[in-house]
Amino acid sequence: MNRDQDIQLEKDRARYGLLAVVVSNLAIAGVAVFGVWRLNGNESVIIGVLTAAFTAVSSMTTAYLGIKAVSNTAKSIAAATSTPPAPTPTTPAQRTP
């Protein structure tokens, strides 16, 4: 793969990873709202549902951002420590006496 393909692949991974996190967070929020709506004012259970939803959303978002940060750091370290290939020595033209 060349560098442009690597960059595009990383952009796609970041885009779809973020999309997966956003969609799952919306699904968790939707289920929590539906659950609260169906409980009809039972406050202790509503607090439990909202706490669980908040925990799930924050855990998923934090995991995504943490994995992305570590991946970016590893890539930048790898790019900084990689050395370009050594140039091939050229032999001077031979002179005839």
Side-chain angles (χ1 to χ4, degrees):
M1 283 188 161
N2 63 20
R3 182 158 169 77
D4 291 335
Q5 287 176 333
D6 288 341
I7 292 171
Q8 186 60 39
L9 179 62
E10 276 304 309
K11 285 181 181 179
D12 288 344
R13 284 181 182 169
R15 184 177 299 126
Y16 290 119
L18 182 61
L19 179 65
V21 169
V22 169
V23 168
S24 62
N25 285 348
L26 289 174
I28 292 168
V31 169
V33 167
F34 180 74
V36 168
W37 173 65
R38 294 292 292 169
L39 290 173
N40 295 329
N42 189 350
E43 292 176 7
S44 62
V45 178
I46 289 173
I47 291 172
V49 168
L50 292 178
T51 301
F54 178 78
T55 302
V57 167
S58 63
S59 297
M60 187 169 309
T61 304
T62 303
Y64 170 75
L65 294 175
I67 291 168
K68 189 67 183 146
V70 169
S71 174
N72 290 344
T73 303
K75 282 185 180 275
S76 65
I77 289 173
T81 59
S82 67
T83 56
T88 55
T90 57
T91 57
Q94 296 222 350
R95 293 189 191 173
T96 56

